């Protein structure tokens, strides 16, 4: 059985590629949260990366990282420094807060003409559609949602392409959006049957145009 890293690394690789055309303008990077892919992301950009972490989950896993304390779910959120790129991948689905409040707080972190890289799970994957048809529940169990991961909740919800695009578009100019099929092989020729059907992840690159 593959490790968590091996299972998800393809998704991370494909998500980061959205930033490639803009790397020359990126020096100061903030990753919201921390994960098993932090070293990979650091090497990918060849830059030092800061991490925004709520106080409640600071532990031995983050002592070797350059981190700042802050909670993007807090309506009084304020951080003085602004970044060229904020990475916010596979986090929104775990947060028990209005999505617009979260995106507004993230916008505060990004300089004008800076970038947001965000990804969320796709609710309309082929497997989800099939499971609904055959009568299976596609949602996380309530126990797993409460138990969560990395000190947060589990998947409180997943997203449609249309709704996450509309959400991000309220705060950022969307430069690129991509459905990422990070977990299956050999079906690329079928990808255009239904938009994003075979994509487990929706990734968006947005620009802060304040």
């Amino acid at each position: 059985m593959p490790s968590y890293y091996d299972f998800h690394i393809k998704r991370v690789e494909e998500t980061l590629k959205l930033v490639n055309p803009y790397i020359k303008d990126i020096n100061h990077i903030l990753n919201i949260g921390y994960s098993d892919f932090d070293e990979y992301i650091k090497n990918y950009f060849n830059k030092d990366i800061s991490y925004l972490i709520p106080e409640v989950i600071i532990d031995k896993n983050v002592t070797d990282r350059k981190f700042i304390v802050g909670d993007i779910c807090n309506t009084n959120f304020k951080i003085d420094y602004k970044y060229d790129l904020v990475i916010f991948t596979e986090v929104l689905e775990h947060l028990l807060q209005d999505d617009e409040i979260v995106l507004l707080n993230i916008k505060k972190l990004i300089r004008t003409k800076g970038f947001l890289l965000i990804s969320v799970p796709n609710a309309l994957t082929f497997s989800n559609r099939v499971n609904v048809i055959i009568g299976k529940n596609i949602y996380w169990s309530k126990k797993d949602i409460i138990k969560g991961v990395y000190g947060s909740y589990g998947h409180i919800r997943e997203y449609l392409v249309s709704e996450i695009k509309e959400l991000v578009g309220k705060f950022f100019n969307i430069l690129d959006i991509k459905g990422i099929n990070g977990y299956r092989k050999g079906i690329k020729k079928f990808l255009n049957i239904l938009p994003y059907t075979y994509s487990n992840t929706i990734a968006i690159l947005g620009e802060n145009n304040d």
Side-chain angles (χ1 to χ4, degrees):
M1 183 175 181
S3 67
Y4 180 89
Y5 181 94
D6 292 334
F7 187 74
H8 292 285
I9 185 61
K10 185 65 176 177
R11 182 229 337 138
V12 175
E13 291 173 349
E14 293 300 315
T15 299
L16 295 178
K17 285 179 182 178
L18 270 70
V19 186
N20 284 354
Y22 310 95
I23 284 180
K24 61 183 177 61
D25 297 320
I26 293 172
N27 291 299
H28 303 289
I29 301 173
L30 179 70
N31 194 1
I32 296 181
Y34 67 94
S35 74
D36 296 332
F37 307 103
D38 290 347
E39 192 64 28
Y40 178 88
I41 294 171
K42 180 179 178 181
N43 291 335
Y44 186 90
F45 290 106
N46 194 27
K47 308 279 186 183
D48 286 332
I49 298 178
S50 299
Y51 299 86
L52 180 70
I53 302 171
E55 187 172 11
V56 293
I57 65 168
I58 293 176
D59 57 28
K60 63 181 180 181
N61 293 315
V62 301
T63 54
D64 61 342
R65 294 166 169 84
K66 180 181 177 181
F67 67 91
I68 56 177
V69 178
D71 183 0
I72 56 170
C73 292
N74 191 324
T75 54
N76 296 317
F77 177 82
K78 187 178 186 300
I79 297 291
D80 292 330
Y81 194 79
K82 292 184 181 290
Y83 295 85
D84 300 315
L85 170 66
V86 168
I87 300 172
F88 186 53
T89 57
E90 309 305 302
V91 176
L92 187 62
E93 65 272 15
H94 298 281
L95 301 181
L96 191 60
Q97 178 55 287
D98 186 298
D99 289 343
E100 291 195 11
I101 291 174
V102 174
L103 266 290
L104 180 61
N105 282 339
I106 290 175
K107 188 176 177 70
K108 298 174 184 177
L109 293 166
I110 304 175
R111 67 171 177 82
T112 301
K113 299 298 183 182
F115 306 100
L116 167 67
L117 180 63
I118 178 174
S119 69
V120 294
N122 181 8
L124 292 183
T125 59
F126 182 75
S127 59
N128 278 359
R129 297 179 194 219
V130 170
N131 282 329
V132 168
I133 290 172
I134 64 177
K136 289 188 176 180
N137 195 327
I138 63 173
Y139 300 105
W140 284 47
S141 71
K142 193 171 184 180
K143 181 183 293 186
D144 287 337
I145 291 173
I146 294 170
K147 181 181 177 182
V149 292
Y150 290 117
S152 187
Y153 298 97
H155 282 199
I156 295 170
R157 65 159 301 160
E158 298 184 355
Y159 294 84
L160 311 183
V161 173
S162 57
E163 63 182 353
I164 193 64
K165 186 176 180 181
E166 179 182 2
L167 172 67
V168 175
K170 290 179 180 179
F171 302 95
F172 300 90
N173 176 33
I174 295 176
L175 300 175
D176 201 357
I177 179 169
K178 183 178 182 181
I180 296 174
N181 175 41
Y183 309 103
R184 300 184 180 92
K185 298 179 180 179
I187 61 167
K188 289 185 177 180
K189 62 183 178 180
F190 300 114
L191 291 181
N192 292 323
I193 293 177
L194 288 172
Y196 302 101
T197 297
Y198 290 96
S199 303
N200 298 84
T201 299
I202 306 161
I204 297 179
L205 182 69
E207 181 181 47
N208 185 0
N209 273 334
D210 279 349

